Amino acid sequence: MDTLIEGSFHIVGGDFSNAGKASTELKTILTNCGLDIAKIRRAVIATFEGEMNIIIYAVAGTITYEIQNGKLLITLQDIGPGIKNIELAMTEGYSTAPDWVREMGWGAGMGLPNMKKNADIFKINSIVGEGTTVEIIINLY
Amino acid sequence: MLLKEIISALEAKTIVDFTTEPNKDYHWVCATDLMSDVLFYSTCQSLLLTGLAKTQTIRTATVADLSIIIFTRNNIPDDETIELARTKGISLFVTPFSTFTASGKLFTQGLQCCSDVNFTEED
C-alpha cells in the first residue's frame, strides 16, 4: 500500500510559547484522516511528550509522520545533548530537567515512559553530544 | 456529578463554555499542575483541575481529549490562552479555591482521581 499521508514539523529548542503546537496540528490531521479516536489519542500523546523533550533538552528537532501499510509511524529526531543512560531515562519519575522547567508543568520524568506506553512499537537511539531519535509505531488495524 | 453541580460546588465562574451536554455525568478528575501527569494518567472522560493557566495547558487538554478545564485559586488565563481554548472548543472555568480545597470538595461529592481507575482503550 502506498503512503496515505506524510508530513513533518520543525521544533525549536526552548520555544515554550509554541509547546504542543505540532502535536495539536497532528491531531487535526489524523482526525481529518478519519482514524480511530483512541489511536489518535495515543499517537498525539506520545508525540506531545517527544515534542516537549525536544523543546526542553534539544537545540532543534523534527517530527515526521507517515501512514503506510496500516501503521502510523512517527519519528522524532533532535540535535541535542543526547541521553547518557537510556535505561535510566526510561524509568518513571527519573528526570534531569531543571527546576524552571518543572515549574512550567513539565520535566516530571514521565515523558519517555509515556511514549513507550502509548506506542505499539517504541525505538530509541541516542548519541551523547549529537542527539536522540525516537520512533513510534501505532498499528491502525 | 453534573457539570453544573461541579461549578456550583466550586463557586466557579465561566470563562468560555462550549459544553453541549449539560446533563453529562462526570466521575473522574485530573487535579495537577504537571502536564506530564495529565498526559500519563488522564482519561478523556476526566475534567482537569489545575492552577497552570497557560497555552500549554490548553494544548495538553487538546491532545488528551479533555474538554473541560477548571483553573484554581482564581488563576485566570491571559487572552491568548482563552483564544486558543475557543479555537479548540475547550470550556474554561475558574474557581477561587485552591487545587487542594477544590479537590476535597469534589472528592466528598464522590468524584475520583483519574489515575485510580484503569481504563481500556475503548473506554
PDB file of all heavy atoms in Angstrom, chain A residues 97-127:
ATOM      1  N   ALA A  97      15.527  17.407  34.156  1.00  0.00           N
ATOM      2  CA  ALA A  97      15.025  18.747  33.845  1.00  0.00           C
ATOM      3  C   ALA A  97      15.310  19.716  34.989  1.00  0.00           C
ATOM      4  O   ALA A  97      15.173  19.354  36.158  1.00  0.00           O
ATOM      5  CB  ALA A  97      13.522  18.691  33.575  1.00  0.00           C
ATOM      6  N   PRO A  98      15.686  20.939  34.653  1.00  0.00           N
ATOM      7  CA  PRO A  98      15.906  21.947  35.701  1.00  0.00           C
ATOM      8  C   PRO A  98      14.603  22.388  36.347  1.00  0.00           C
ATOM      9  O   PRO A  98      13.509  22.163  35.808  1.00  0.00           O
ATOM     10  CB  PRO A  98      16.556  23.113  34.940  1.00  0.00           C
ATOM     11  CG  PRO A  98      16.128  22.931  33.523  1.00  0.00           C
ATOM     12  CD  PRO A  98      15.960  21.461  33.309  1.00  0.00           C
ATOM     13  N   ASP A  99      14.725  23.024  37.503  1.00  0.00           N
ATOM     14  CA  ASP A  99      13.534  23.414  38.268  1.00  0.00           C
ATOM     15  C   ASP A  99      12.594  24.317  37.480  1.00  0.00           C
ATOM     16  O   ASP A  99      11.369  24.197  37.595  1.00  0.00           O
ATOM     17  CB  ASP A  99      13.960  24.126  39.564  1.00  0.00           C
ATOM     18  CG  ASP A  99      14.538  23.145  40.581  1.00  0.00           C
ATOM     19  OD1 ASP A  99      14.324  21.920  40.404  1.00  0.00           O
ATOM     20  OD2 ASP A  99      15.205  23.597  41.525  1.00  0.00           O
ATOM     21  N   TRP A 100      13.153  25.214  36.675  1.00  0.00           N
ATOM     22  CA  TRP A 100      12.280  26.163  35.976  1.00  0.00           C
ATOM     23  C   TRP A 100      11.394  25.447  34.951  1.00  0.00           C
ATOM     24  O   TRP A 100      10.289  25.898  34.662  1.00  0.00           O
ATOM     25  CB  TRP A 100      13.085  27.282  35.319  1.00  0.00           C
ATOM     26  CG  TRP A 100      13.997  26.860  34.200  1.00  0.00           C
ATOM     27  CD1 TRP A 100      15.297  26.470  34.312  1.00  0.00           C
ATOM     28  CD2 TRP A 100      13.672  26.770  32.806  1.00  0.00           C
ATOM     29  NE1 TRP A 100      15.801  26.138  33.079  1.00  0.00           N
ATOM     30  CE2 TRP A 100      14.828  26.323  32.138  1.00  0.00           C
ATOM     31  CE3 TRP A 100      12.523  27.028  32.059  1.00  0.00           C
ATOM     32  CZ2 TRP A 100      14.861  26.121  30.765  1.00  0.00           C
ATOM     33  CZ3 TRP A 100      12.558  26.832  30.681  1.00  0.00           C
ATOM     34  CH2 TRP A 100      13.715  26.399  30.058  1.00  0.00           C
ATOM     35  N   VAL A 101      11.873  24.337  34.436  1.00  0.00           N
ATOM     36  CA  VAL A 101      11.042  23.537  33.524  1.00  0.00           C
ATOM     37  C   VAL A 101       9.931  22.855  34.308  1.00  0.00           C
ATOM     38  O   VAL A 101       8.777  22.813  33.882  1.00  0.00           O
ATOM     39  CB  VAL A 101      11.906  22.497  32.783  1.00  0.00           C
ATOM     40  CG1 VAL A 101      11.019  21.491  32.044  1.00  0.00           C
ATOM     41  CG2 VAL A 101      12.839  23.183  31.810  1.00  0.00           C
ATOM     42  N   ARG A 102      10.253  22.347  35.487  1.00  0.00           N
ATOM     43  CA  ARG A 102       9.240  21.692  36.333  1.00  0.00           C
ATOM     44  C   ARG A 102       8.167  22.691  36.743  1.00  0.00           C
ATOM     45  O   ARG A 102       6.991  22.349  36.851  1.00  0.00           O
ATOM     46  CB  ARG A 102       9.912  21.094  37.569  1.00  0.00           C
ATOM     47  CG  ARG A 102      10.861  19.951  37.246  1.00  0.00           C
ATOM     48  CD  ARG A 102      11.679  19.577  38.469  1.00  0.00           C
ATOM     49  NE  ARG A 102      12.795  18.716  38.139  1.00  0.00           N
ATOM     50  CZ  ARG A 102      12.810  17.403  38.332  1.00  0.00           C
ATOM     51  NH1 ARG A 102      11.776  16.805  38.857  1.00  0.00           N
ATOM     52  NH2 ARG A 102      13.861  16.691  37.998  1.00  0.00           N
ATOM     53  N   GLU A 103       8.589  23.932  37.005  1.00  0.00           N
ATOM     54  CA  GLU A 103       7.622  24.951  37.403  1.00  0.00           C
ATOM     55  C   GLU A 103       6.641  25.277  36.277  1.00  0.00           C
ATOM     56  O   GLU A 103       5.559  25.807  36.511  1.00  0.00           O
ATOM     57  CB  GLU A 103       8.359  26.221  37.836  1.00  0.00           C
ATOM     58  CG  GLU A 103       9.044  26.060  39.194  1.00  0.00           C
ATOM     59  CD  GLU A 103      10.063  27.152  39.470  1.00  0.00           C
ATOM     60  OE1 GLU A 103      10.158  28.092  38.656  1.00  0.00           O
ATOM     61  OE2 GLU A 103      10.772  27.048  40.482  1.00  0.00           O
ATOM     62  N   MET A 104       7.022  24.933  35.044  1.00  0.00           N
ATOM     63  CA  MET A 104       6.123  25.164  33.915  1.00  0.00           C
ATOM     64  C   MET A 104       5.213  23.966  33.670  1.00  0.00           C
ATOM     65  O   MET A 104       4.445  23.939  32.714  1.00  0.00           O
ATOM     66  CB  MET A 104       6.937  25.466  32.654  1.00  0.00           C
ATOM     67  CG  MET A 104       7.691  26.770  32.762  1.00  0.00           C
ATOM     68  SD  MET A 104       8.626  27.146  31.284  1.00  0.00           S
ATOM     69  CE  MET A 104       7.323  27.652  30.185  1.00  0.00           C
ATOM     70  N   GLY A 105       5.339  22.947  34.540  1.00  0.00           N
ATOM     71  CA  GLY A 105       4.441  21.805  34.422  1.00  0.00           C
ATOM     72  C   GLY A 105       5.029  20.622  33.685  1.00  0.00           C
ATOM     73  O   GLY A 105       4.314  19.678  33.348  1.00  0.00           O
ATOM     74  N   TRP A 106       6.344  20.664  33.422  1.00  0.00           N
ATOM     75  CA  TRP A 106       6.984  19.592  32.666  1.00  0.00           C
ATOM     76  C   TRP A 106       8.169  19.039  33.440  1.00  0.00           C
ATOM     77  O   TRP A 106       8.483  19.495  34.523  1.00  0.00           O
ATOM     78  CB  TRP A 106       7.421  20.100  31.289  1.00  0.00           C
ATOM     79  CG  TRP A 106       6.280  20.598  30.501  1.00  0.00           C
ATOM     80  CD1 TRP A 106       5.916  21.904  30.338  1.00  0.00           C
ATOM     81  CD2 TRP A 106       5.291  19.819  29.820  1.00  0.00           C
ATOM     82  NE1 TRP A 106       4.770  21.977  29.600  1.00  0.00           N
ATOM     83  CE2 TRP A 106       4.375  20.724  29.263  1.00  0.00           C
ATOM     84  CE3 TRP A 106       5.110  18.453  29.622  1.00  0.00           C
ATOM     85  CZ2 TRP A 106       3.274  20.300  28.529  1.00  0.00           C
ATOM     86  CZ3 TRP A 106       4.018  18.031  28.884  1.00  0.00           C
ATOM     87  CH2 TRP A 106       3.118  18.943  28.345  1.00  0.00           C
ATOM     88  N   GLY A 107       8.833  18.070  32.840  1.00  0.00           N
ATOM     89  CA  GLY A 107      10.051  17.547  33.448  1.00  0.00           C
ATOM     90  C   GLY A 107       9.805  16.647  34.636  1.00  0.00           C
ATOM     91  O   GLY A 107      10.631  16.562  35.545  1.00  0.00           O
ATOM     92  N   ALA A 108       8.671  15.931  34.637  1.00  0.00           N
ATOM     93  CA  ALA A 108       8.351  15.052  35.760  1.00  0.00           C
ATOM     94  C   ALA A 108       8.941  13.656  35.583  1.00  0.00           C
ATOM     95  O   ALA A 108       8.741  12.784  36.427  1.00  0.00           O
ATOM     96  CB  ALA A 108       6.833  14.961  35.937  1.00  0.00           C
ATOM     97  N   GLY A 109       9.624  13.459  34.488  1.00  0.00           N
ATOM     98  CA  GLY A 109      10.245  12.147  34.274  1.00  0.00           C
ATOM     99  C   GLY A 109       9.280  11.093  33.763  1.00  0.00           C
ATOM    100  O   GLY A 109       9.523   9.900  33.918  1.00  0.00           O
ATOM    101  N   MET A 110       8.197  11.539  33.139  1.00  0.00           N
ATOM    102  CA  MET A 110       7.212  10.589  32.623  1.00  0.00           C
ATOM    103  C   MET A 110       7.184  10.579  31.090  1.00  0.00           C
ATOM    104  O   MET A 110       6.416   9.821  30.491  1.00  0.00           O
ATOM    105  CB  MET A 110       5.809  10.959  33.145  1.00  0.00           C
ATOM    106  CG  MET A 110       5.703  10.999  34.658  1.00  0.00           C
ATOM    107  SD  MET A 110       6.096   9.425  35.413  1.00  0.00           S
ATOM    108  CE  MET A 110       4.543   8.573  35.187  1.00  0.00           C
ATOM    109  N   GLY A 111       7.992  11.414  30.472  1.00  0.00           N
ATOM    110  CA  GLY A 111       7.916  11.583  29.022  1.00  0.00           C
ATOM    111  C   GLY A 111       8.216  10.324  28.235  1.00  0.00           C
ATOM    112  O   GLY A 111       7.359   9.813  27.495  1.00  0.00           O
ATOM    113  N   LEU A 112       9.424   9.804  28.358  1.00  0.00           N
ATOM    114  CA  LEU A 112       9.792   8.605  27.597  1.00  0.00           C
ATOM    115  C   LEU A 112       8.934   7.392  27.983  1.00  0.00           C
ATOM    116  O   LEU A 112       8.480   6.664  27.101  1.00  0.00           O
ATOM    117  CB  LEU A 112      11.284   8.305  27.767  1.00  0.00           C
ATOM    118  CG  LEU A 112      12.233   9.267  27.035  1.00  0.00           C
ATOM    119  CD1 LEU A 112      13.684   8.957  27.403  1.00  0.00           C
ATOM    120  CD2 LEU A 112      12.046   9.178  25.527  1.00  0.00           C
ATOM    121  N   PRO A 113       8.696   7.157  29.301  1.00  0.00           N
ATOM    122  CA  PRO A 113       7.813   6.040  29.647  1.00  0.00           C
ATOM    123  C   PRO A 113       6.419   6.169  29.035  1.00  0.00           C
ATOM    124  O   PRO A 113       5.816   5.182  28.626  1.00  0.00           O
ATOM    125  CB  PRO A 113       7.744   6.093  31.188  1.00  0.00           C
ATOM    126  CG  PRO A 113       9.008   6.760  31.592  1.00  0.00           C
ATOM    127  CD  PRO A 113       9.297   7.764  30.501  1.00  0.00           C
ATOM    128  N   ASN A 114       5.926   7.401  28.964  1.00  0.00           N
ATOM    129  CA  ASN A 114       4.589   7.605  28.403  1.00  0.00           C
ATOM    130  C   ASN A 114       4.580   7.403  26.893  1.00  0.00           C
ATOM    131  O   ASN A 114       3.594   6.933  26.321  1.00  0.00           O
ATOM    132  CB  ASN A 114       4.073   9.003  28.754  1.00  0.00           C
ATOM    133  CG  ASN A 114       2.551   9.078  28.719  1.00  0.00           C
ATOM    134  OD1 ASN A 114       1.867   8.051  28.725  1.00  0.00           O
ATOM    135  ND2 ASN A 114       2.032  10.288  28.680  1.00  0.00           N
ATOM    136  N   MET A 115       5.692   7.750  26.250  1.00  0.00           N
ATOM    137  CA  MET A 115       5.786   7.500  24.809  1.00  0.00           C
ATOM    138  C   MET A 115       5.741   5.993  24.554  1.00  0.00           C
ATOM    139  O   MET A 115       5.054   5.511  23.664  1.00  0.00           O
ATOM    140  CB  MET A 115       7.072   8.104  24.252  1.00  0.00           C
ATOM    141  CG  MET A 115       7.081   9.622  24.292  1.00  0.00           C
ATOM    142  SD  MET A 115       8.677  10.347  23.863  1.00  0.00           S
ATOM    143  CE  MET A 115       8.611  10.263  22.082  1.00  0.00           C
ATOM    144  N   LYS A 116       6.494   5.259  25.355  1.00  0.00           N
ATOM    145  CA  LYS A 116       6.517   3.798  25.206  1.00  0.00           C
ATOM    146  C   LYS A 116       5.152   3.195  25.506  1.00  0.00           C
ATOM    147  O   LYS A 116       4.682   2.289  24.816  1.00  0.00           O
ATOM    148  CB  LYS A 116       7.581   3.198  26.128  1.00  0.00           C
ATOM    149  CG  LYS A 116       7.771   1.703  25.946  1.00  0.00           C
ATOM    150  CD  LYS A 116       8.893   1.183  26.818  1.00  0.00           C
ATOM    151  CE  LYS A 116       9.091  -0.319  26.567  1.00  0.00           C
ATOM    152  NZ  LYS A 116      10.187  -0.859  27.415  1.00  0.00           N
ATOM    153  N   LYS A 117       4.522   3.721  26.558  1.00  0.00           N
ATOM    154  CA  LYS A 117       3.201   3.213  26.970  1.00  0.00           C
ATOM    155  C   LYS A 117       2.168   3.340  25.844  1.00  0.00           C
ATOM    156  O   LYS A 117       1.321   2.463  25.661  1.00  0.00           O
ATOM    157  CB  LYS A 117       2.731   4.011  28.195  1.00  0.00           C
ATOM    158  CG  LYS A 117       1.307   3.737  28.658  1.00  0.00           C
ATOM    159  CD  LYS A 117       0.929   4.736  29.769  1.00  0.00           C
ATOM    160  CE  LYS A 117      -0.565   4.718  30.049  1.00  0.00           C
ATOM    161  NZ  LYS A 117      -0.964   5.806  30.956  1.00  0.00           N
ATOM    162  N   ASN A 118       2.248   4.434  25.088  1.00  0.00           N
ATOM    163  CA  ASN A 118       1.237   4.690  24.066  1.00  0.00           C
ATOM    164  C   ASN A 118       1.579   4.118  22.696  1.00  0.00           C
ATOM    165  O   ASN A 118       0.764   4.170  21.778  1.00  0.00           O
ATOM    166  CB  ASN A 118       0.992   6.197  23.956  1.00  0.00           C
ATOM    167  CG  ASN A 118       0.115   6.706  25.081  1.00  0.00           C
ATOM    168  OD1 ASN A 118      -1.090   6.481  25.087  1.00  0.00           O
ATOM    169  ND2 ASN A 118       0.722   7.364  26.070  1.00  0.00           N
ATOM    170  N   ALA A 119       2.793   3.605  22.550  1.00  0.00           N
ATOM    171  CA  ALA A 119       3.220   3.077  21.253  1.00  0.00           C
ATOM    172  C   ALA A 119       3.044   1.564  21.195  1.00  0.00           C
ATOM    173  O   ALA A 119       3.135   0.878  22.210  1.00  0.00           O
ATOM    174  CB  ALA A 119       4.684   3.438  21.017  1.00  0.00           C
ATOM    175  N   ASP A 120       2.789   1.057  19.986  1.00  0.00           N
ATOM    176  CA  ASP A 120       2.814  -0.397  19.807  1.00  0.00           C
ATOM    177  C   ASP A 120       4.263  -0.853  19.651  1.00  0.00           C
ATOM    178  O   ASP A 120       4.634  -1.921  20.114  1.00  0.00           O
ATOM    179  CB  ASP A 120       1.980  -0.787  18.584  1.00  0.00           C
ATOM    180  CG  ASP A 120       0.495  -0.615  18.850  1.00  0.00           C
ATOM    181  OD1 ASP A 120       0.029  -1.079  19.907  1.00  0.00           O
ATOM    182  OD2 ASP A 120      -0.188  -0.005  18.018  1.00  0.00           O
ATOM    183  N   ILE A 121       5.037  -0.056  18.968  1.00  0.00           N
ATOM    184  CA  ILE A 121       6.481  -0.309  18.874  1.00  0.00           C
ATOM    185  C   ILE A 121       7.201   0.991  19.205  1.00  0.00           C
ATOM    186  O   ILE A 121       6.841   2.061  18.692  1.00  0.00           O
ATOM    187  CB  ILE A 121       6.875  -0.797  17.467  1.00  0.00           C
ATOM    188  CG1 ILE A 121       6.196  -2.136  17.162  1.00  0.00           C
ATOM    189  CG2 ILE A 121       8.400  -0.923  17.342  1.00  0.00           C
ATOM    190  CD1 ILE A 121       6.421  -2.631  15.740  1.00  0.00           C
ATOM    191  N   PHE A 122       8.182   0.894  20.077  1.00  0.00           N
ATOM    192  CA  PHE A 122       8.929   2.075  20.525  1.00  0.00           C
ATOM    193  C   PHE A 122      10.415   1.793  20.367  1.00  0.00           C
ATOM    194  O   PHE A 122      10.913   0.788  20.864  1.00  0.00           O
ATOM    195  CB  PHE A 122       8.594   2.360  21.987  1.00  0.00           C
ATOM    196  CG  PHE A 122       9.415   3.449  22.630  1.00  0.00           C
ATOM    197  CD1 PHE A 122       9.034   4.780  22.529  1.00  0.00           C
ATOM    198  CD2 PHE A 122      10.565   3.141  23.332  1.00  0.00           C
ATOM    199  CE1 PHE A 122       9.776   5.780  23.131  1.00  0.00           C
ATOM    200  CE2 PHE A 122      11.318   4.142  23.935  1.00  0.00           C
ATOM    201  CZ  PHE A 122      10.924   5.466  23.833  1.00  0.00           C
ATOM    202  N   LYS A 123      11.101   2.670  19.658  1.00  0.00           N
ATOM    203  CA  LYS A 123      12.545   2.509  19.492  1.00  0.00           C
ATOM    204  C   LYS A 123      13.223   3.833  19.830  1.00  0.00           C
ATOM    205  O   LYS A 123      12.725   4.905  19.463  1.00  0.00           O
ATOM    206  CB  LYS A 123      12.893   2.139  18.037  1.00  0.00           C
ATOM    207  CG  LYS A 123      12.332   0.815  17.565  1.00  0.00           C
ATOM    208  CD  LYS A 123      12.676   0.612  16.099  1.00  0.00           C
ATOM    209  CE  LYS A 123      12.025  -0.657  15.550  1.00  0.00           C
ATOM    210  NZ  LYS A 123      12.244  -0.791  14.086  1.00  0.00           N
ATOM    211  N   ILE A 124      14.338   3.738  20.513  1.00  0.00           N
ATOM    212  CA  ILE A 124      15.078   4.955  20.846  1.00  0.00           C
ATOM    213  C   ILE A 124      16.560   4.724  20.614  1.00  0.00           C
ATOM    214  O   ILE A 124      17.100   3.663  20.937  1.00  0.00           O
ATOM    215  CB  ILE A 124      14.800   5.403  22.303  1.00  0.00           C
ATOM    216  CG1 ILE A 124      15.555   6.704  22.620  1.00  0.00           C
ATOM    217  CG2 ILE A 124      15.125   4.310  23.318  1.00  0.00           C
ATOM    218  CD1 ILE A 124      15.101   7.370  23.913  1.00  0.00           C
ATOM    219  N   ASN A 125      17.181   5.720  20.018  1.00  0.00           N
ATOM    220  CA  ASN A 125      18.615   5.663  19.776  1.00  0.00           C
ATOM    221  C   ASN A 125      19.193   7.035  20.091  1.00  0.00           C
ATOM    222  O   ASN A 125      18.632   8.055  19.683  1.00  0.00           O
ATOM    223  CB  ASN A 125      18.888   5.281  18.320  1.00  0.00           C
ATOM    224  CG  ASN A 125      20.369   5.133  18.055  1.00  0.00           C
ATOM    225  OD1 ASN A 125      21.089   4.560  18.874  1.00  0.00           O
ATOM    226  ND2 ASN A 125      20.838   5.659  16.938  1.00  0.00           N
ATOM    227  N   SER A 126      20.267   7.052  20.837  1.00  0.00           N
ATOM    228  CA  SER A 126      20.823   8.347  21.228  1.00  0.00           C
ATOM    229  C   SER A 126      22.343   8.305  21.221  1.00  0.00           C
ATOM    230  O   SER A 126      22.953   7.304  21.604  1.00  0.00           O
ATOM    231  CB  SER A 126      20.321   8.724  22.631  1.00  0.00           C
ATOM    232  OG  SER A 126      20.702  10.044  22.947  1.00  0.00           O
ATOM    233  N   ILE A 127      22.924   9.393  20.762  1.00  0.00           N
ATOM    234  CA  ILE A 127      24.375   9.537  20.797  1.00  0.00           C
ATOM    235  C   ILE A 127      24.697  10.793  21.597  1.00  0.00           C
ATOM    236  O   ILE A 127      24.239  11.895  21.248  1.00  0.00           O
ATOM    237  CB  ILE A 127      24.960   9.664  19.374  1.00  0.00           C
ATOM    238  CG1 ILE A 127      24.619   8.406  18.556  1.00  0.00           C
ATOM    239  CG2 ILE A 127      26.468   9.875  19.436  1.00  0.00           C
ATOM    240  CD1 ILE A 127      25.014   8.503  17.094  1.00  0.00           C
TER     241      ILE A 127
END
